[in-house]
């Protein structure tokens, strides 16, 4: 049994190494730009963390005094987060760290009561999506509720460490207020090669809340330096990080309501993956 467990663990490690391998990266052509980008990325880590603390201990308490009841406060606070994320992205653009292309910017702002499912190539994905969707809620890792971002997360977002029934109840209340719920169905950042299996959680949430699903594809340039298992002091080899963000065809939950719950969740999950993978192939020529 021990040998079998060891063999399985080694196989898992080998698979992870292959999927996140960055041996195919081109060589650094401009070391000045590369070092500048790496340093600016570290600066923005710190800037983002300090900004989160300021929001949690200064801005939100003031808004809580102004807006009542809790639902109005959360709506105002989410709009504040969206605005600050737009500022953050604008700051990165001015410094030459990122560029973005969002053809459907106005449509993003009009989304209401949708489950937004997104591929997850980098740690900035949620920042870009929330900057585009002012009334966005999000399912976040429970560990982040004990990090420097706790002041923001605990007051606004839903942590995945809750029991499923409690989490779904919070999702229903949020969606009923017109808020959109962002979910990354892979559960973690997309590997450089291939994809992680899509979990059925997003589909179950859509079925249990009777909410339509809005797939979003994040493409653009390579995100080396912002992906999982990338070196901390690293940056894109091809220049600024380019984010090409597209709204994809909406998936109607009514198409799955007559199926058995397990079958519906499976087929809806497959549909999410196929729609996003199709966009990756069509827009960037990638297989995910």
């Amino acid at each position: 049994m021990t040998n079998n467990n060891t063999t399985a663990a080694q196989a898992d490690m080998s698979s992870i190494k292959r999927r996140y391998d960055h041996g195919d990266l081109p060589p650094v052509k401009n070391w000045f730009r590369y070092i500048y980008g790496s340093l600016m990325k570290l600066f923005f880590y710190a800037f983002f963390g300090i900004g989160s603390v300021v929001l949690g201990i200064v801005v939100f308490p003031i808004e809580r005094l102004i807006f009542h009841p809790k639902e109005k406060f959360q709506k105002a606070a989410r709009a504040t987060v969206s605005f600050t994320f737009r500022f953050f992205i604008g700051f990165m653009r001015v410094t030459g760290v990122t560029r973005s292309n969002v053809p459907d910017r106005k449509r993003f702002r009009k989304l209401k009561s949708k489950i937004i499912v997104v591929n997850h190539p980098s740690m900035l994905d949620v920042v870009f999506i929330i900057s585009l969707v002012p009334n966005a809620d999000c399912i976040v890792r429970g560990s982040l509720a004990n990090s420097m971002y706790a002041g923001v997360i605990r007051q606004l977002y839903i942590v995945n460490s809750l029991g499923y029934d409690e989490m779904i109840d919070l999702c229903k209340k949020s969606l009923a207020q017109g808020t959109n719920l962002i979910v990354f169905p892979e559960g973690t950042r997309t590997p450089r090669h291939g994809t992680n299996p899509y979990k059925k959680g997003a589909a179950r949430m859509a079925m249990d809340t009777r909410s339509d699903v809005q797939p979003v594809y994040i493409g653009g340039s390579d995100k080396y330096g912002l992906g999982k298992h990338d070196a901390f002091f690293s940056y894109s080899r091809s220049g600024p990080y380019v984010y090409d963000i597209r709204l994809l065809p909406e998936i109607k939950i009514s198409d799955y309501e007559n199926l058995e719950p397990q079958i519906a969740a499976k087929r809806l999950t497959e549909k999410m993956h196929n729609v996003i993978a199709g966009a990756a192939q069509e827009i960037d020529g990638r297989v995910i």
Side-chain angles (χ1 to χ4, degrees), residues 56-57 64 76 79 107 135 177 185-186 220:
I57 67 175
R64 192 179 286 276
R107 286 181 58 203
N135 57 334
Q177 296 166 18
E186 291 176 76

Side-chain angles (χ1 to χ4, degrees), residues 44-180:
F44 281 115
Y45 278 142
F47 185 82
F48 188 87
I50 293 170
S52 298
V53 172
V54 171
L55 281 176
I57 67 175
V58 178
V59 179
F60 287 171
I62 294 174
E63 290 189 335
R64 192 179 286 276
L65 292 174
I66 298 172
F67 297 101
H68 302 280
K70 181 180 179 180
E71 289 75 15
K72 286 187 178 181
F73 156 71
Q74 288 184 324
K75 183 177 180 180
R78 286 176 183 136
T80 299
V81 171
S82 181
F83 171 80
T84 56
F85 281 8
R86 288 197 298 276
F87 172 81
F88 182 77
I89 289 169
F91 192 6
M92 288 193 295
R93 183 175 63 251
V94 168
T95 58
V97 175
T98 65
R99 296 203 308 267
S100 61
N101 174 42
V102 188
D104 300 310
R105 195 175 295 271
K106 290 183 179 180
R107 286 181 58 203
F108 270 101
R109 299 184 69 83
K110 293 180 180 179
L111 292 177
K112 184 177 180 181
S113 301
K114 307 295 183 186
I115 303 285
I116 300 176
V117 295
V118 197
N119 63 309
H120 197 5
S122 81
M123 62 179 61
L124 287 177
D125 302 332
V126 70
V127 177
F128 272 93
I129 299 301
I130 290 179
S131 76
L132 294 167
V133 183
N135 57 334
D137 202 342
C138 190
I139 304 293
V140 298
R141 293 199 316 272
S143 59
L144 290 177
N146 297 314
S147 68
M148 70 169 61
Y149 313 119
V152 174
I153 290 171
R154 290 181 179 178
Q155 297 185 70
L156 294 185
Y157 302 120
I158 302 170
V159 295
N160 63 7
S161 57
L162 298 172
Y164 183 75
D165 291 340
E166 183 180 0
M167 187 166 64
I168 284 297
D169 184 56
L170 291 173
C171 290
K172 287 179 178 178
K173 291 177 180 178
S174 182
L175 290 161
Q177 296 166 18
T179 305
N180 300 285

Side-chain angles (χ1 to χ4, degrees), residues 16-22 189 191-192 196 228-229:
I16 291 172
K17 185 176 180 180
R18 286 196 304 271
R19 288 186 296 131
Y20 289 94
D21 180 66
H22 48 76
R189 275 169 279 173
R192 293 183 52 77
N196 295 307
K228 194 169 184 178
H229 301 302

Side-chain angles (χ1 to χ4, degrees), residues 245-262:
I245 304 176
R246 307 291 184 94
L247 275 175
L248 305 178
E250 186 177 293
I251 302 172
K252 295 293 185 182
I253 200 65
S254 58
D255 295 340
Y256 301 86
E257 288 181 330
N258 293 328
L259 301 174
E260 291 293 328
Q262 290 185 341

